[in-house]
């Protein structure tokens, strides 16, 4: 078994789940702050959540096929590029002065695509583990994903005390919503 490869994948899975979950706890409030119409349309957050999950469901099989054809590396890099763009989009979402909720919907849809795409790494252990090590390899990847899903919201929670709207260069908003996205990018 290539344990160095398994350990690397666990780190990558941990980071990917942090990126995916860092906005879960604050997405609704963030979109309401960006777009006041969101408060009047209470069902819209359901659309954001549903499209996010649709992105996960669609991209999982597609990225699986890509991994079968091209290996794990290129599809995984594509998923991370999408995640980077989504977090970058969250950072600049506060610059959208009207209909920001629609941009948030698109961002979360692509965040779902990224999460579904990175899910191919959940099965990477099966291709590099000897049969006697399969349970251990599976446990490593599951633990990394679970811990990442804990640390994402924890980062958001730690950023809640950041004052609203410190503006740098007249366009970069630093607040409790954008700092977690900046951390996820790093």
């Amino acid at each position: 078994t290539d344990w160095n490869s398994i350990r690397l994948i666990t780190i990558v899975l941990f980071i990917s789940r942090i990126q995916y979950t860092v906005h879960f706890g604050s997405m609704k409030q963030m979109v309401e702050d960006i777009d006041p119409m969101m408060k009047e349309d209470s069902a819209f957050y359901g659309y954001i959540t549903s499209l996010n999950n649709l992105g996960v469901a669609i991209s999982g099989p597609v990225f699986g096929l890509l991994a079968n054809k091209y290996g794990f590396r290129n599809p995984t890099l594509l998923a991370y590029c999408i995640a980077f763009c989504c977090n970058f989009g969250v950072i600049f979402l506060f610059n959208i002065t009207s209909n920001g909720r629609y941009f948030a919907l698109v961002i979360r849809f692509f965040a779902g695509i990224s999460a579904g795409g990175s899910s191919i790494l959940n099965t990477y252990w099966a291709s590099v583990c000897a049969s006697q090590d399969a349970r251990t390899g599976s446990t490593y990847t599951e633990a990394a994903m679970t811990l990442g899903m804990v640390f994402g919201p924890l980062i958001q929670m730690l950023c809640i005390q950041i004052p609203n709207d410190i503006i740098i260069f007249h366009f970069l908003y630093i607040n409790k919503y954008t700092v977690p996205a900046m951390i996820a990018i790093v």
Side-chain angles (χ1 to χ4, degrees):
T1 298
D2 183 0
W3 289 109
N4 288 333
S5 180
I6 294 290
R7 288 181 190 105
L8 177 64
I9 291 303
T10 59
I11 292 168
V12 171
L13 280 170
F14 175 73
I15 292 168
S16 75
R17 290 305 173 242
I18 286 175
Q19 286 183 329
Y20 181 64
T21 61
V22 77
H23 304 294
F24 273 178
S26 65
M27 180 58 71
K28 185 175 191 294
Q29 184 63 45
M30 178 179 70
V31 176
E32 286 178 356
D33 288 355
I34 291 168
D35 189 344
M37 292 299 295
M38 178 75 175
K39 292 178 183 174
E40 295 177 21
D41 188 0
S42 60
F44 198 84
Y45 185 68
Y47 300 140
I48 291 173
T49 304
S50 296
L51 244 70
N52 178 272
N53 292 332
L54 180 65
V56 172
I58 290 170
S59 65
V62 170
F63 275 81
L65 291 170
L66 291 172
N68 285 339
K69 187 170 183 172
Y70 300 108
F72 284 95
R73 181 175 290 159
N74 290 335
T76 302
L77 288 174
L78 176 60
Y80 278 105
C81 286
I82 294 169
F84 175 84
C85 291
C86 290
N87 282 306
F88 198 74
V90 167
I91 291 170
F92 290 100
L93 199 56
F94 284 85
N95 294 317
I96 306 210
T97 56
S98 65
N99 295 320
R101 66 183 186 266
Y102 294 105
F103 289 97
L105 180 108
V106 171
I107 288 169
R108 285 311 292 176
F109 175 69
F110 282 101
I113 288 174
S114 170
S118 67
S119 70
I120 60 173
L121 294 179
N122 303 355
T123 61
Y124 177 77
W125 60 267
S127 65
V128 297
C129 281
S131 61
Q132 68 270 18
D133 295 331
R135 288 184 207 102
T136 305
S138 172
T139 304
Y140 277 23
T141 58
E142 289 298 319
M145 285 180 26
T146 303
L147 287 173
M149 293 175 80
V150 168
F151 276 86
L154 180 64
I155 289 170
Q156 177 66 60
M157 187 179 76
L158 293 173
C159 293
I160 204 78
Q161 298 302 320
I162 295 172
N164 277 342
D165 298 336
I166 299 167
I167 303 171
I168 300 173
F169 305 120
H170 302 290
F171 65 88
L172 181 59
Y173 289 74
I174 307 294
N175 59 38
K176 62 187 171 189
Y177 306 119
T178 60
V179 170
M182 293 173 188
I183 292 170
I185 287 174
V186 172

